């Protein structure tokens, strides 16, 4: 796509797992990517996923649900999500538009896809098999373009420990924490003014 459609060095941006893909694209296409914006991405995916085991269990349950979209959203609301030593209902963690959007996506996923993911959180060998296609140290150390990493205030997908490891591997990178925002950085609620204020100076510096 970069070669045949864009036909010029581009700025690539991705959120969450899309941020991992943006990093991989920048690593493998040095002449086609002139900058990369990584939005609260789990750059060290296995560790990040283990911190979010409860969410993956809940997502897996949704893929197996039957009934209308509304029925499944209502069922999803009642699920308990375990995070560390505590747990909360999904309805306490997401607003209505976010719930609807998440379930709309999940009901299109084959349950067996998430079975592999859930298993990778319970078994070290399965985790290595699942993670095998992505090596964060190899990917990040090969990126040569400027990189902006946006970290959410929650610091779950990309905690400070992982962010600092990533910054040491990148040649030209800056990071910003978007305090007051969770992993969606306001995207799910269409409240992106803080995100745009954080990104715009970087975009202007590399255009």
């Amino acid at each position: 796509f970069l070669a045949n459609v864009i036909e010029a060095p581009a700025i690539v941006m991705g959120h969450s797992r899309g941020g991992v893909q943006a990093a991989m694209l920048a690593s493998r296409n040095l002449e086609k990517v002139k900058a990369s914006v990584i939005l609260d991405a789990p750059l060290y995916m296995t560790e990040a996923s283990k911190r979010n085991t409860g969410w993956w269990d809940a997502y897996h349950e949704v893929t197996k649900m039957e009934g209308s979209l509304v029925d499944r959203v209502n069922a999803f609301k009642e699920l308990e999500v375990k995070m560390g030593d505590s747990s909360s209902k999904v309805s306490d963690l997401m607003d209505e538009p976010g719930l609807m959007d998440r379930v709309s996506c999940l009901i299109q996923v084959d349950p067996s896809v998430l079975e592999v993911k859930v298993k990778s959180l319970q078994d070290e060998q399965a985790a290595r098999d699942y993670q095998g296609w992505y090596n964060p140290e190899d990917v990040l150390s090969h990126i040569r373009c400027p990189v902006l990493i946006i970290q959410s205030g929650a610091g779950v997908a990309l905690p400070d420990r992982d962010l600092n490891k990533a910054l040491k591997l990148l040649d030209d990178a800056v990071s910003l924490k978007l305090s007051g925002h969770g992993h969606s950085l306001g995207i799910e609620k269409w409240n992106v003014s803080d995100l745009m204020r954080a990104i715009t100076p970087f975009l202007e510096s590399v255009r």
Side-chain angles (χ1 to χ4, degrees):
F1 183 81
L2 287 173
N4 298 328
V5 178
I6 303 299
E7 297 183 342
I11 300 170
V12 297
M13 178 167 62
H15 172 252
S16 194
R17 292 295 177 102
V20 174
Q21 297 295 329
M24 294 178 67
L25 192 60
S27 175
R28 297 175 178 178
N29 297 272
L30 302 183
E31 296 180 357
K32 296 183 177 68
V33 177
K34 68 176 179 180
S36 182
V37 181
I38 297 172
L39 304 176
D40 208 41
L43 295 172
Y44 291 81
M45 290 201 304
T46 298
E47 292 102 328
S49 293
K50 286 179 179 178
R51 290 188 290 271
N52 287 280
T53 304
W55 278 115
W56 287 109
D57 289 337
Y59 294 161
H60 189 213
E61 287 301 312
V62 174
T63 65
K64 297 184 290 182
M65 289 177 181
E66 298 181 352
S68 68
L69 175 61
V70 172
D71 290 339
R72 293 188 236 194
V73 169
N74 289 332
F76 184 42
K77 287 180 183 178
E78 298 303 313
L79 295 178
E80 292 278 339
V81 175
K82 185 175 181 181
M83 295 179 290
D85 297 325
S86 63
S87 64
S88 301
K89 275 190 176 181
V90 170
S91 57
D92 295 328
L93 301 170
M94 297 180 70
D95 62 12
E96 199 69 28
L99 287 162
M100 190 70 71
D101 178 70
R102 192 66 52 87
V103 174
S104 297
C105 294
L106 287 168
I107 61 177
Q108 301 179 62
V109 177
D110 186 321
S112 64
V113 173
L114 288 188
E115 283 175 13
V116 175
K117 176 62 184 177
V118 171
K119 185 178 179 181
S120 77
L121 302 175
Q122 302 167 345
D123 178 83
E124 288 299 323
Q125 183 57 53
R128 285 191 291 272
D129 292 342
Y130 181 84
Q131 183 86 351
W133 58 272
Y134 172 70
N135 181 314
E137 282 79 15
D138 182 60
V139 168
L140 297 171
S141 65
H142 281 86
I143 295 175
R144 296 292 175 264
C145 66
V147 176
L148 170 64
I149 302 176
I150 300 290
Q151 181 189 32
S152 75
V156 176
L158 183 61
D160 291 340
R161 177 182 65 252
D162 292 356
L163 173 62
N164 291 333
K165 286 195 293 186
L167 291 172
K168 288 178 181 178
L169 291 168
L170 292 162
D171 279 350
D172 183 5
V174 293
S175 67
L176 292 172
K177 178 174 283 191
L178 219 57
S179 299
H181 289 280
H183 178 58
S184 76
L185 302 175
I187 296 169
E188 283 187 349
K189 299 180 180 180
W190 293 95
N191 177 23
V192 295
S193 55
D194 290 341
L195 179 60
M196 292 309 300
R197 278 194 291 269
I199 293 173
T200 300
F202 176 80
L203 297 178
E204 291 178 341
S205 73
V206 297
R207 64 181 180 181

